[in-house]
């Protein structure tokens, strides 16, 4: 039997890596960031006091990155966040500035040692800005929100959610330099709709999906190493992300490079931002009739030395499902991946391309492994019709991101069994990773009346706040108050407001139930309020003697009856007789009030004395109401002396009336 051997071709990903920063423990890099500007005189009357350059691109100390030395030319003012260069009365010519530093990078990264719950229950106040939409990270875009929800639904492990979103971005967005010519980075929504972009734009979309789920994520600006033929220089500007894990800290993700949960030593962090559109250098000057023309910032980085060997602690075993298959048959390549670490780690696996073998699905796959976890990854492949006079050998290999390669092979000849794709999929089902989703629909609702108390003539409203604290996207929720229902969609980690108009026909204390129902979810909230009628007081049960003599003392009484449900407030009750007024006040009248007044006939005038009970009161809006009742008491059987005294009482009442 003749034998045939087919050639293996390795996939070259857009940004491939040299071994030193994937396999070393430590490296020293000399970094220079430089720029220039040209001062142009626009008229003979021009003047210029100073020029300022504020550079916010400078290497930052972190757990994996230490700045060993840093100098500037010319001398500049240094802070933790910027370098400020200043030229006093500069001449009209070109001026240069530079920042030189040596940075030590290590293979260290922020390790996730245990499961972090999703959704995140609480975000620290100082990180809330990293959960909100921004100029190019428009995380409120409907398509982005729905995609993120579909990826996160049913997951309760934050590392799994972030990994799934990172992998989706890496495998579904085409790395395309056509957007590199744009003056600004495209927003996440543009990348989502066009499915292409460069590193900043892939990172924008990745961050936007995370933020839409309430996961804090920041944009990291820096420089990175690449050996891709797409770029003339090995070092260049690059963007990646950091994601916040409660109890752990900020974890790096470079979705462009396929580094999920870590970054290699070819990354130098220079700035961290809420939005990728933040400027890295700002120019300002004080003068007149001058123009400052700026140039692009230049980056130059050189590897000084590297040391140590970094072992990622992941083992990969490779085998084929069938050692030998017939022509025009399917087969599978299966990798068993074992994490020997006590922390989560993501591993990228890249299948070689072999002549005559068609790969069904992506060549690269990413697997997230928990502490000491083992998983299986597979690729379905097929071969076509071949020369029946040969037995063919098909070598296959899988390499990791750090270029560790595992190899195996399978054979084919015409007399062997043909396997369909369905046959291979059935065989692979035995190796399905056992991770199961934990769907948790948790819906919180709180409803409040805008006004705790309101009058029947007024309009009120009810505001309901709905919070999705689970990991299920509620596509359709019915929110109902009385006979009115409203439909909303509620995404994971999102809060939405629903409003209802509220009117009442009858006064009294009210307690209404707002119900929320949807597939897999239900909740209720009780709304308490008081519907008020207009306040009303009547004066009843007026009792008094019809006639009295001068020496008599007597009692008159009346009742203020509260006719309304609502309480009259600021009640003023006055008893007026012969120009004399006696007043009582009540702050709020919640029940009937009886008034009993001791009187003396010596204060009366001869004949009939007119009395008036006057009541003024208000509602809670300040609207005034009045009511009054009158009665008479006759002073009789007066002696001559008593008549004189009664006459004096009349004169006094006339004087009081005139004064009033």
């Amino acid at each position: 039997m003749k034998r045939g051997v087919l050639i293996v071709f390795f996939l070259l990903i857009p940004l491939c890596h040299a071994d030193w920063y994937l396999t070393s423990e430590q490296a020293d890099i000399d970094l220079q960031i430089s720029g220039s500007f040209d001062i142009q005189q626009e008229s003979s009357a021009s003047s210029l006091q100073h020029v300022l350059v504020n550079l916010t691109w400078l290497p930052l100390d972190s757990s994996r990155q230490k700045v060993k030395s840093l100098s500037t030319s010319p001398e500049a003012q240094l802070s933790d966040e910027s370098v400020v260069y200043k030229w006093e009365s500069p001449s009209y010519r070109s001026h240069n500035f530079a920042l030189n530093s040596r940075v030590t990078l290590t293979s260290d990264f922020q390790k996730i040692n245990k499961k972090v719950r999703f959704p995140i229950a609480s975000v620290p106040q100082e990180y809330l800005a990293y959960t909100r939409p921004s100029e190019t990270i428009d995380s409120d875009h409907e398509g982005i929100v729905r995609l993120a929800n579909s990826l996160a639904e049913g997951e309760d492990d934050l590392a799994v959610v972030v990994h799934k979103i990172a992998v989706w971005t890496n495998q579904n967005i085409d790395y395309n330099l056509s957007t590199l010519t744009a003056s600004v980075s495209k927003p996440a929504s543009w990348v989502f709709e066009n499915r292409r972009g460069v590193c900043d734009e892939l990172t924008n979309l990745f961050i936007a999906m995370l933020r839409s789920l309430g996961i804090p994520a920041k944009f990291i600006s820096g420089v990175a190493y690449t050996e891709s033929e797409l770029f003339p220089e090995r070092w260049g500007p690059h963007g990646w992300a950091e994601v916040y894990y409660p109890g752990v800290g900020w974890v790096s993700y470079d979705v462009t490079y396929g580094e999920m949960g870590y970054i290699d030593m070819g990354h130098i962090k220079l700035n961290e931002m809420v939005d990728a559109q933040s400027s890295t250098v700002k120019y300002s000057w004080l003068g007149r009739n001058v123009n400052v023309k700026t140039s692009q910032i230049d980056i130059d980085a050189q590897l000084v030395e590297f040391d140590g060997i970094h072992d990622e602690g992941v083992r990969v075993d490779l085998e084929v499902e069938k050692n030998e298959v017939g022509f025009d048959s399917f087969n599978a390549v299966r990798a068993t991946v074992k994490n020997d670490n006590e922390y989560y780690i993501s591993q990228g696996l890249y299948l070689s391309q072999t002549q005559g073998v068609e790969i069904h699905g992506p060549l690269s796959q990413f697997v997230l492994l928990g502490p000491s976890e083992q998983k299986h990854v597979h690729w379905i492949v097929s071969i076509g019709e071949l020369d029946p006079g040969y037995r063919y050998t098909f070598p296959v290999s899988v390499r990791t991101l750090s270029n560790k390669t595992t190899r195996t092979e399978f054979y084919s000849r015409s007399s062997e069994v043909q396997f369909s794709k369905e046959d291979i999929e059935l065989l692979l089902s035995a190796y399905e990773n056992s991770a199961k989703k934990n769907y948790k629909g948790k819906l919180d609702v709180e409803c409040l009346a805008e006004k705790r108390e309101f009058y029947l003539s007024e309009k009120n409203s009810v505001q309901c706040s709905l919070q999705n604290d689970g990991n299920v996207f509620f596509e359709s929720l019915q929110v109902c108050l009385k006979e009115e229902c409203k439909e909303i969609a509620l995404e994971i980690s999102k809060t939405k407001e629903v409003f209802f108009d509220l009117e009442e026909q009858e006064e009294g204390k009210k307690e209404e139930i707002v119900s929320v129902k949807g597939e897999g979810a239900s909740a209720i909230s009780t709304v308490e309020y008081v519907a008020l009628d207009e306040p009303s007081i009547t004066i009843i049960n007026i009792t008094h003697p019809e006639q009295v003599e001068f020496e008599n003392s007597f009692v008159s009484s009346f009742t203020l009856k509260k006719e309304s449900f609502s309480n009259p407030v600021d009640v003023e009750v006055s008893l007026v007789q012969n120009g004399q007024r006696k007043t009582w006040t009540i702050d709020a009248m919640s029940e009937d009030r009886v008034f009993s007044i001791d009187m003396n006939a010596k204060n009366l005038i001869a004949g009939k004395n007119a009395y008036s009970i006057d009541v003024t009161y208000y509602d809670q809006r300040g609207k005034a109401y009045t009511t009054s009742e009158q009665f008479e008491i006759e002073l009789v059987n007066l002696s001559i002396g008593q008549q004189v005294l009664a006459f004096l009482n009349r004169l006094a009442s006339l004087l009081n009336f005139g004064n009033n």
Side-chain angles (χ1 to χ4, degrees):
M1 174 71 70
K2 297 178 182 179
R3 293 180 179 269
V5 179
L6 299 186
I7 302 172
V8 179
F9 296 91
F10 288 96
L11 169 67
L12 295 177
I13 58 174
L15 294 174
C16 59
H17 307 79
D19 287 340
W20 65 267
Y21 62 98
L22 295 172
T23 59
S24 303
E25 288 283 353
Q26 181 174 302
D28 284 352
I29 309 294
D30 278 345
L31 174 68
Q32 182 184 74
I33 302 171
S34 59
S36 64
F37 60 91
D38 186 43
I39 304 174
Q40 298 174 340
Q41 189 175 7
E42 295 185 333
S43 76
S44 58
S46 62
S47 65
L48 182 61
Q49 293 187 27
H50 67 253
V51 175
L52 291 174
V53 176
N54 189 331
L55 179 67
T56 57
W57 239 22
L58 68 161
L60 305 172
D61 279 331
S62 67
S63 61
R64 64 170 294 277
Q65 175 176 303
K66 300 298 179 185
V67 180
K68 296 179 70 174
S69 65
L70 191 148
S71 62
T72 63
S73 175
E75 187 175 345
Q77 182 180 350
L78 295 173
S79 70
D80 292 338
E81 298 179 349
S82 66
V83 180
V84 179
Y85 301 86
K86 186 174 184 180
W87 289 262
E88 296 281 2
S89 301
S91 57
Y92 299 109
R93 61 176 178 83
S94 181
H95 296 266
N96 301 313
F97 59 92
L99 180 149
N100 295 281
S101 63
R102 176 164 291 185
V103 181
T104 297
L105 302 168
T106 70
S107 59
D108 189 27
F109 60 93
Q110 198 74 35
K111 298 175 177 62
I112 306 167
N113 298 301
K114 60 182 180 180
K115 180 177 180 178
V116 179
R117 290 286 179 183
F118 173 80
I120 297 176
S122 178
V123 175
Q125 184 72 27
E126 62 268 28
Y127 299 153
L128 287 178
Y130 297 110
T131 65
R132 297 171 181 143
S134 59
E135 185 176 355
T136 60
I137 303 174
D138 44 350
S139 54
D140 53 353
H141 181 270
E142 183 179 356
I144 291 174
V145 172
R146 285 181 173 265
L147 172 59
N149 273 260
S150 69
L151 293 170
E153 192 167 34
E155 304 293 356
D156 61 359
D157 189 330
L158 181 59
V160 173
V161 172
V162 179
H163 181 79
K164 289 178 69 174
I165 292 173
V167 171
W168 188 96
T169 307
N170 175 274
Q171 294 192 336
N172 290 275
I173 304 301
D174 179 31
Y175 186 86
N176 191 308
L177 291 177
S178 63
T179 61
L180 196 59
T181 58
S183 59
V184 295
S185 294
K186 299 290 187 183
S189 55
W190 186 93
V191 182
F192 169 79
E193 291 164 359
N194 291 273
R195 296 293 200 266
R196 59 189 172 92
V198 293
C199 57
D200 286 10
E201 293 156 345
L202 271 72
T203 303
N204 284 344
L205 178 57
F206 171 62
I207 292 175
M209 284 197 279
L210 295 177
R211 289 185 183 178
S212 75
L213 296 169
I215 304 171
K218 63 177 70 169
F219 187 93
I220 305 301
S221 177
V223 296
Y225 181 85
T226 176
E227 290 189 341
S228 170
E229 296 179 356
L230 296 172
F231 298 93
E233 303 293 336
R234 300 281 71 86
W235 292 88
H238 189 54
W240 61 95
E242 288 182 2
V243 181
Y244 176 69
Y245 282 74
V248 176
W250 292 93
V251 179
S252 298
Y253 285 79
D254 188 341
V255 294
T256 309
Y257 279 26
E259 297 173 349
M260 322 301 192
Y262 69 97
I263 50 175
D264 60 53
M265 284 194 296
H267 292 69
I268 302 177
K269 179 178 178 179
L270 300 178
N271 203 348
E272 56 183 38
M273 299 170 284
V274 171
D275 190 90
Q277 204 53 40
S278 301
S279 176
T280 57
V281 60
K282 295 180 180 178
Y283 299 85
S284 60
W285 58 91
L286 180 61
R288 63 178 182 175
N289 298 324
V290 295
N291 181 44
V292 176
K293 185 177 180 180
T294 64
S295 64
Q296 186 174 347
I297 296 295
D298 293 321
I299 298 170
D300 181 47
Q302 299 292 331
L303 173 65
V304 178
E305 62 179 356
F306 60 89
D307 187 32
I309 298 176
H310 170 65
D311 184 2
E312 56 200 0
V314 177
R315 289 177 286 152
V316 180
D317 295 323
L318 192 65
E319 56 187 326
V320 291
E321 189 61 34
K322 293 297 180 180
N323 289 325
E324 194 154 5
V325 297
F327 295 167
D328 196 21
S329 177
F330 282 84
N331 201 353
V333 179
R334 187 174 69 252
T336 301
V337 192
K338 176 69 168 67
N339 180 12
D340 291 330
N341 302 291
E342 293 304 315
Y343 49 82
Y344 284 76
I345 195 164
S346 172
Q347 185 65 62
L349 301 173
Y350 304 88
L351 180 65
S352 62
Q353 288 183 306
T354 303
Q355 183 180 351
V357 177
E358 181 180 356
I359 302 171
H360 298 266
L363 277 67
S364 59
Q365 297 199 47
F366 298 89
V367 57
L368 178 67
L369 300 164
S372 303
E373 188 177 14
Q374 175 177 292
K375 287 184 178 179
H376 301 284
V377 177
H378 65 261
W379 293 261
I380 294 180
V381 299
S382 65
I383 57 173
E385 286 292 341
L386 300 168
D387 189 335
Y390 290 86
R391 180 176 185 262
Y392 291 85
T393 300
F394 294 96
V396 291
S397 62
V398 168
R399 67 173 179 85
T400 66
L401 196 61
S402 58
N403 284 331
K404 289 183 179 179
T405 303
T406 305
R407 295 178 173 85
T408 188
E409 59 188 17
F410 69 95
Y411 307 94
S412 180
R413 56 184 171 186
S414 60
S415 60
E416 291 298 325
V417 177
Q418 286 183 327
F419 293 93
S420 67
K421 187 177 181 181
E422 291 73 19
D423 293 334
I424 296 300
E425 289 175 339
L426 183 60
L427 292 170
L428 289 172
S429 64
Y431 301 98
E432 289 287 340
N433 295 316
S434 59
K436 294 182 179 179
K437 291 188 177 183
N438 180 19
Y439 291 94
K440 184 179 180 183
K442 185 179 180 185
L443 181 63
D444 290 330
V445 56
E446 181 179 15
C447 299
L448 295 171
E450 179 188 3
K451 301 173 186 176
R452 182 67 177 81
E453 295 182 342
F454 69 104
Y455 288 91
L456 297 178
S457 58
E458 295 178 325
K459 290 185 177 181
N460 199 359
S461 66
V462 171
Q463 176 180 346
C464 293
S465 177
L466 287 80
Q467 170 76 36
N468 185 351
D469 290 326
N471 60 5
V472 177
F473 171 37
F474 297 120
E475 181 76 31
S476 175
L477 291 176
Q478 292 289 329
V479 187
C480 300
L481 172 63
K482 296 186 176 180
E483 302 300 320
E484 183 180 5
C485 291
K486 296 186 177 183
E487 182 178 3
I488 66 165
L490 188 58
E491 298 83 5
I492 297 169
S493 295
K494 292 295 183 183
T495 299
K496 287 189 177 179
E497 310 294 334
V498 177
F499 295 88
F500 295 93
D501 292 331
L502 184 62
E503 295 184 12
E504 285 293 340
Q505 303 299 321
E506 295 183 1
E507 70 276 2
K509 292 183 177 180
K510 309 290 182 177
E511 188 173 301
E512 299 290 349
I513 294 176
V514 177
S515 65
V516 184
K517 293 183 180 180
E519 185 176 353
S522 64
I524 62 169
S525 179
T526 301
V527 184
E528 297 180 355
Y529 57 91
V530 180
L532 302 173
D533 53 0
E534 291 189 348
S536 177
I537 295 175
T538 57
I539 304 169
I540 63 172
N541 299 334
I542 302 174
T543 60
H544 59 86
E546 295 293 331
Q547 295 180 335
V548 294
E549 295 184 355
F550 193 79
E551 296 295 335
N552 292 157
S553 293
F554 58 93
V555 175
S556 296
S557 66
F558 60 89
T559 300
L560 297 186
K561 182 173 178 57
K562 176 175 172 281
E563 300 282 3
S564 59
F565 171 79
S566 64
N567 293 333
V569 297
D570 298 330
V571 181
E572 183 177 279
V573 184
S574 298
L575 180 63
V576 182
Q577 179 265 328
N578 296 336
Q580 301 291 326
R581 178 182 295 270
K582 184 175 180 61
T583 301
W584 300 267
T585 59
I586 305 170
D587 291 337
M589 186 170 156
S590 58
E591 58 186 2
D592 296 348
R593 298 290 293 269
V594 176
F595 290 79
S596 182
I597 304 108
D598 293 328
M599 296 182 173
N600 195 318
K602 292 180 180 180
N603 297 321
L604 303 181
I605 63 174
K608 292 185 177 181
N609 292 260
Y611 287 83
S612 179
I613 305 170
D614 300 331
V615 182
T616 301
Y617 54 97
Y618 297 84
D619 62 22
Q620 294 179 12
R621 300 167 295 187
K623 182 179 178 181
Y625 302 81
T626 60
T627 186
S628 64
E629 294 287 347
Q630 290 75 38
F631 64 91
E632 291 181 341
I633 298 178
E634 185 178 9
L635 181 62
V636 297
N637 301 327
L638 296 172
S639 66
I640 295 176
Q642 290 172 341
Q643 290 179 9
V644 172
L645 292 175
F647 178 75
L648 292 175
N649 288 341
R650 179 180 291 277
L651 291 177
S653 66
L654 291 172
L655 288 173
N656 285 332
F657 180 79
N659 291 332
N660 293 332

